Amino acid sequence: MKVLTIIGARPQFIKASVVSKAILDQPGISEVIVHTGQHFDANMSDIFFEQLSIPKPHVQLDIHGGSHGQMTGRMLMEIEGVMLNERPDRVMVYGDTNSTLAGALAAAKLNIPVAHIEAGLRSFNMRMPEEVNRILTDQVSDILFCPTEVAVDNLKQEGFANKPVQMLNVGDVMQDSAMFFAQRAAQPMGKVHAEGFILTTLHRAENTDDPVRLTSIVKALNEINRSIAPVVLPLHPRTRGVVERLGLQLDVQVIDPVGYLEMIWLLQRCGLVLTDSGGVQKEAFFFGKACVTMRDQTEWVELINCGANVLVGAETDLIIDAANRNHGRSVTDPHNLYGGGQASSKIASYLSSPSVSVG
Ligand code: UDP
């Protein structure tokens, strides 16, 4: 069984770090890794391959920038060429980026079966590019590796139970990564607060591409930094660009994007996570920290339902108020919401022998 895996963005490297290892350990299955180049800065790509010992991509494309359509279209063309060359038995894609959709679509058009890791997640907001990517990817996949029961239910609502596909709740591969690398946390370079700081990430298009929302969030971060606790913000390059273009003043501790081991160090020591990231909402939970999410919806609704995470949108006062109420609050996981760190081994064993029961 030869699996061709498409990755291209930071969260996909972190997920691949555990899944590719599990595949290497599994007899009877080999993996060809294709990096699309969607994320290409050293601190958004290379650092993860080095730190997390991800196998070096067999094929390195160099596709980034341009509009969503341009990027996805170029990827579709080039990935198709790679697939014709490699002739894999199966293609595997992660999550919801343009690389995910281009990989899935290229495979579907060549009649190569597609496995989707993180299938079934929905925000129910079709204005998010990620929502479009994940819905279309699920539609052309025949193995849907879901991270949660909610994701399985979403697919059932969309009629997937009547299709000739496999829906399996294997748990969340990001919990595997968090558990695997927790002991190897590394202190970021430079001066960082000892503990109790508010770890913030900010890069979702709905916030960065809307000057009103971004301005309101920046105002909140500055006030939180002044009156509640220091805000540490590893700033995504896209957000940095927009902040500079709009001339916004960030009076918080802005640092360059950090590696995953540094991110774990920050997660272990912070007093609160304040984010618009998908993955970071769960990582707060894995490390026992409350989370305030600066979005209007989340795909990880079980965290809202159990009170670990609160959704506040982009309004200054709501963000400040939620940060105030949640700073220093710890959370627990009595219901093992994300499978307990077994997802990647379940995925690898299912891919090598689909008759094995894993869901
Ligand atoms: N992350 C990182 N360094 C940073 C910021 C985030 O390693 O400076 C990690 C984070 O811990 C998580 C992943 O990147 O594992 C999340 O990626 P991102 O927020 O870019 O994407 P999303 O999850 O929103 O798709």
Side-chain angles (χ1 to χ4, degrees), residues 68-134:
H68 279 277
Q70 287 167 343
M71 195 198 293
T72 314
R74 288 177 57 208
M75 286 177 184
L76 185 58
M77 284 168 64
E78 293 207 26
I79 291 172
E80 181 180 71
V82 174
M83 287 175 182
L84 287 169
N85 216 13
E86 292 286 344
R87 306 217 158 267
D89 300 301
R90 165 165 296 287
V91 163
M92 188 163 76
V93 294
Y94 292 90
D96 54 24
T97 68
N98 292 339
S99 303
T100 315
L101 177 59
L105 201 49
K109 288 187 176 284
L110 294 172
N111 290 321
I112 304 170
V114 179
H116 185 199
I117 296 181
E118 278 199 350
L121 294 176
R122 298 289 182 264
S123 66
F124 302 100
N125 175 0
M126 283 299 281
R127 292 183 59 80
M128 286 178 71
E130 294 90 346
E131 184 78 351
V132 174
N133 290 339
R134 57 173 87 100

Side-chain angles (χ1 to χ4, degrees), residues 10-11 14-15 39 43-44 48 96-97 130 174 201 203-204 234-236 256-261 263-264 267 275-280 283:
R10 175 168 68 186
I14 292 163
K15 292 163 197 169
H39 282 171
N43 59 10
M44 296 292 287
F48 297 98
D96 54 24
T97 68
E130 294 90 346
M174 289 195 81
T201 71
H203 75 290
R204 200 88 291 123
L235 196 56
H236 194 286
D256 284 335
V258 293
Y260 185 59
L261 302 182
M263 192 66 184
I264 291 182
L267 283 157
T275 189
D276 64 1
S277 158
V280 177
E283 288 170 339

Side-chain angles (χ1 to χ4, degrees), residues 15 96 118-119 121-123 134 146-148 150-151 171-174 277-282 286 295 297-306 309 337-338:
K15 292 163 197 169
D96 54 24
E118 278 199 350
L121 294 176
R122 298 289 182 264
S123 66
R134 57 173 87 100
C146 300
T148 59
V150 171
D172 182 15
V173 294
M174 289 195 81
S277 158
V280 177
Q281 293 172 52
K282 282 171 299 155
F286 300 148
R295 287 179 50 191
Q297 311 87 14
T298 178
E299 301 75 34
W300 307 103
V301 286
E302 54 286 325
L303 293 180
I304 307 296
N305 295 340
C306 76
N309 186 7
L337 291 177
Y338 296 102

Side-chain angles (χ1 to χ4, degrees), residues 119-245:
L121 294 176
R122 298 289 182 264
S123 66
F124 302 100
N125 175 0
M126 283 299 281
R127 292 183 59 80
M128 286 178 71
E130 294 90 346
E131 184 78 351
V132 174
N133 290 339
R134 57 173 87 100
I135 287 178
L136 297 178
T137 299
D138 283 343
Q139 287 295 335
V140 296
S141 299
D142 74 319
I143 303 180
L144 298 126
F145 288 121
C146 300
T148 59
E149 247 351 275
V150 171
V152 174
D153 289 344
N154 287 338
L155 292 175
K156 287 184 180 161
Q157 290 289 328
E158 293 174 19
F160 277 79
N162 301 319
K163 294 184 182 189
V165 298
Q166 291 298 316
M167 288 180 285
L168 303 159
N169 178 4
V170 289
D172 182 15
V173 294
M174 289 195 81
Q175 183 162 34
D176 300 21
S177 316
M179 290 172 69
F180 188 84
F181 292 106
Q183 302 302 320
R184 290 175 45 192
Q187 181 163 2
M189 303 274 275
K191 194 165 167 288
V192 206
H193 298 276
E195 54 186 33
F197 55 87
I198 299 183
L199 176 60
T200 300
T201 71
L202 176 63
H203 75 290
R204 200 88 291 123
E206 72 208 54
N207 289 331
T208 58
D209 296 0
D210 180 338
V212 175
R213 283 180 78 100
L214 188 61
T215 305
S216 170
I217 290 172
V218 167
K219 233 169 118 182
L221 298 184
N222 291 345
E223 178 55 26
I224 290 168
N225 185 74
R226 200 188 62 76
S227 64
I228 304 176
V231 170
V232 176
L233 173 60
L235 196 56
H236 194 286
R238 181 153 51 96
T239 316
R240 185 181 284 275
V242 185
V243 164
E244 282 169 8
R245 226 177 17 259

